[in-house]
């Protein structure tokens, strides 16, 4: 029993490594700096609450198969390049609204299933790498596309239209480059068909749960309104949504990604405690100020972009440059974005022996995209948000 318990523990640590890094970092800094009770007031409870609600409602989306029409539509596309574009841009556009990690959870298994059924598995890995890019670059347009966007939007005080306007040039450029990447992938046989037999699609009889689906859609719209409007008494809305979920579907609360919420909380503690120490804060401010874009990319390769955003935000002068860097970090290594790790996990479950192959293809495709986009991203980041 002891052996099994130890194995399970280390598997959990490996699977949720970022959580453990966050917990250890928070404990170390609290022990060294010894913050006051006022630290609790420095934590961004609004972001934590909004993130919890968003993650819970999106779990409800998955549970109620709200995205099933997209899956059925994909099955009707007969052109291989058309299917590739549909899947990549399905991620690109849905990530703007349901966050980058949820869009990958929807489309990565679908990509593996469709191209495996079509006996065209050689396209799966490059397409997954492109979908990863699509998730990172598509989600950057909206304040609720990713956790780091949600955090910086909430802190910055800019309007939603200013935010979208600031991010839209690089979003459009990224989309255009992605089209080229997909077309180049299928260029040798641009007219090839998928020819997926109907028997490949599972026949499942879905129980009609329309009231529950409509409830989740309504709650999702309320959350979006709460984010965009910056409603001051957000905690009343949060309580109402939580009570609704408890009444209609309490089991979904067990599926919420609490690991991400704990990670956020611990890095809030870390950054707030560090910022309260004048000497440390002064050194970090000098290091980060004017270099937000590059520093955020580099720090994200160590602790990923979400915690990097929380840690660096108090010391950043240009919030826009910081955001551009955080939204580019996932193009460098798999550690740069938590969404990339999700992509890797889903693929390795299907192809356990191909982990290294995934990382190689991921790096080749992502770095090629980063090499093209890095200069325009940097120069666009010099503007004021």
């Amino acid at each position: 029993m002891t052996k099994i318990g130890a194995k399970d523990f280390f598997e959990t640590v490996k699977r949720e490594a970022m959580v453990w890094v966050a917990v250890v970092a928070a404990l170390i800094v609290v022990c060294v700096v010894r913050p006051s009770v006022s630290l609790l007031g420095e934590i961004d409870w609004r972001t934590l609450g909004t993130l919890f609600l968003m993650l819970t409602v999106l779990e409800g989306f998955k549970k109620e198969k709200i995205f099933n029409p997209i899956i059925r539509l994909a099955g009707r596309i007969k052109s291989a390049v058309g299917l590739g574009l549909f899947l990549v841009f399905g991620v690109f556009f849905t990530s703007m609204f349901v966050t980058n990690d949820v869009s990958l959870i929807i489309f990565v298994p679908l990509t593996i299933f469709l191209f495996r059924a079509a006996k065209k598995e050689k396209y799966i890995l490059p397409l997954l790498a492109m979908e990863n890019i699509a998730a990172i670059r598509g989600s950057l347009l909206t304040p609720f596309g990713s956790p780091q966007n949600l955090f910086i939007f909430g802190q910055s005080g800019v309007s939603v239209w200013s935010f979208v306007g600031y991010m839209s040039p690089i979003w459009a450029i990224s989309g255009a480059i992605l089209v080229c990447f997909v077309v180049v992938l299928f260029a040798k046989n641009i007219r090839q068909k998928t020819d997926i037999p109907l028997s490949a699609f599972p026949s499942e009889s879905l129980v009609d749960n329309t009231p529950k689906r409509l409830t989740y859609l309504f709650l999702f719209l309320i959350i979006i309104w709460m984010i965009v409007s910056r409603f001051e008494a957000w905690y009343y809305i949060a309580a109402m949504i939580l009570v609704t979920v408890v009444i209609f579907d309490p089991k979904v609360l067990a599926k919420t990604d609490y690991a991400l919420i704990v990670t956020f909380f611990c890095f809030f503690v870390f950054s707030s405690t560090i910022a309260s120490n004048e000497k440390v804060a002064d050194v970090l401010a000098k290091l980060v100020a004017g270099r937000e874009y590059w520093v955020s990319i580099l720090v994200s390769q160590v602790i990923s972009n979400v915690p990097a955003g929380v840690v660096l935000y108090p010391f950043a002068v240009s919030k826009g440059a910081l955001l551009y860097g955080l939204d580019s970090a996932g193009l460098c290594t798999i550690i740069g974005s938590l969404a990339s790790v999700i992509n890797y996990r889903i693929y390795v479950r299907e192809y356990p022996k191909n982990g290294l192959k995934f990382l190689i293809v991921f790096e080749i495709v992502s770095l090629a995209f980063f090499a093209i986009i890095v200069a325009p991203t940097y120069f666009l980041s010099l503007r004021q948000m």
Side-chain angles (χ1 to χ4, degrees):
M1 289 293 290
T2 307
K3 277 189 175 181
I4 295 173
K7 184 180 178 182
D8 289 344
F9 173 75
F10 286 115
E11 280 297 317
T12 303
V13 171
K14 188 169 69 173
R15 188 172 60 250
E16 303 296 352
M18 189 52 59
V19 184
W20 289 97
V21 169
V23 170
V24 170
L27 287 174
I28 290 173
V29 78
V30 166
C31 291
V32 172
V33 179
R34 296 186 181 280
S36 63
V37 180
S38 62
L39 169 67
L40 293 174
E42 298 296 321
I43 294 171
D44 189 348
W45 296 106
R46 182 187 183 113
T47 296
L48 286 173
T50 306
L51 186 63
F52 166 72
L53 296 175
M54 181 75 82
L55 293 171
T56 300
V57 169
L58 290 175
E59 282 298 330
F61 271 42
K62 289 186 283 180
K63 181 173 175 287
E64 297 306 320
K65 304 184 187 298
I66 289 174
F67 301 107
N68 262 20
I70 296 174
I71 296 171
R72 287 195 291 269
L73 180 60
R76 296 193 186 112
I77 301 172
K78 303 303 179 186
S79 162
V81 67
L83 183 58
L85 285 167
F86 175 85
L87 293 166
V88 169
F89 280 89
V91 175
F92 189 78
F93 289 113
T94 59
S95 65
M96 294 160 47
F97 302 101
V98 299
T99 74
N100 48 23
D101 54 346
V102 172
S103 65
L104 287 172
I105 289 168
I106 299 164
F107 283 95
V108 168
L110 182 60
T111 303
I112 294 171
F113 164 72
L114 290 173
F115 278 87
R116 183 189 276 165
K119 295 182 170 52
K120 297 183 187 298
E121 289 183 86
K122 65 179 180 179
Y123 293 115
I124 290 176
L125 268 177
L127 276 173
L128 294 191
M130 291 177 201
E131 286 173 16
N132 201 82
I133 295 168
I136 292 167
R137 306 311 280 179
S139 63
L140 62 77
L141 183 66
T142 62
F144 32 81
S146 65
Q148 68 269 17
N149 281 23
L150 178 64
F151 168 64
I152 291 179
F153 173 76
Q155 293 284 323
S156 66
V158 301
S159 70
V160 65
W161 300 116
S162 296
F163 186 98
V164 171
Y166 183 78
M167 304 303 288
S168 58
I170 201 63
W171 176 82
I173 293 169
S174 299
I177 297 170
L178 269 172
V179 171
C180 298
F181 268 50
V182 176
V183 171
V184 167
L185 177 63
F186 293 96
K188 286 186 179 179
N189 189 0
I190 200 74
R191 296 188 178 182
Q192 64 182 304
K193 303 295 182 184
T194 54
D195 297 323
I196 303 172
L198 289 174
S199 58
F201 292 91
S203 57
E204 53 175 347
S205 57
L206 295 178
V207 178
D208 185 20
N209 252 344
T210 301
K212 200 173 280 188
R213 289 173 193 152
L214 290 175
T215 299
Y216 276 122
L217 286 168
F218 177 67
L219 294 178
F220 180 72
L221 291 175
I222 290 177
I223 294 169
I224 298 301
W225 172 81
M226 188 175 75
I227 295 169
V228 171
S229 68
R230 288 196 170 89
F231 184 61
E232 287 294 330
W234 63 272
Y235 34 86
Y236 290 121
I237 302 292
M240 183 272 289
I241 293 173
L242 183 58
V243 169
T244 304
V245 172
V246 169
I247 292 171
F248 274 84
D249 197 7
K251 290 182 180 178
V252 80
L253 290 167
K255 295 182 177 293
T256 301
D257 187 358
Y258 294 103
L260 183 58
I261 297 167
V262 171
T263 302
F264 249 70
F265 174 79
C266 289
F267 276 111
F268 275 136
V269 172
F270 179 87
S271 61
S272 298
T273 306
I274 288 291
S276 68
N277 185 294
E278 290 184 11
K279 291 182 180 179
V280 176
D282 188 53
V283 171
L284 285 172
K286 289 177 181 176
L287 176 67
V288 176
R291 306 180 188 88
E292 291 89 350
Y293 178 73
W294 301 110
V295 171
S296 59
I297 290 175
L298 290 173
V299 173
S300 296
Q301 307 316 307
V302 181
I303 60 174
S304 115
N305 55 4
V306 174
V310 176
V311 172
L312 297 176
Y313 185 86
F315 313 103
V317 174
S318 173
K319 311 306 182 186
L322 175 67
L323 186 56
Y324 263 50
L326 295 172
D327 284 335
S328 298
L331 302 173
C332 299
T333 68
I334 195 169
I335 298 169
S337 170
L338 293 173
S340 305
V341 179
I342 290 170
N343 196 347
Y344 174 79
R345 280 185 193 169
I346 296 171
Y347 177 79
V348 170
R349 275 204 300 265
E350 295 293 327
Y351 298 94
K353 297 179 181 178
N354 285 6
L356 180 60
K357 191 176 179 182
F358 177 97
L359 294 174
I360 292 170
V361 175
F362 174 92
E363 287 301 329
I364 291 170
V365 177
S366 296
L367 288 175
F369 190 94
F370 182 72
I372 297 168
I373 204 78
V374 62
T377 303
Y378 172 69
F379 287 113
L380 284 168
S381 75
L382 299 176
R383 301 168 299 142
Q384 290 296 316
M385 184 164 69

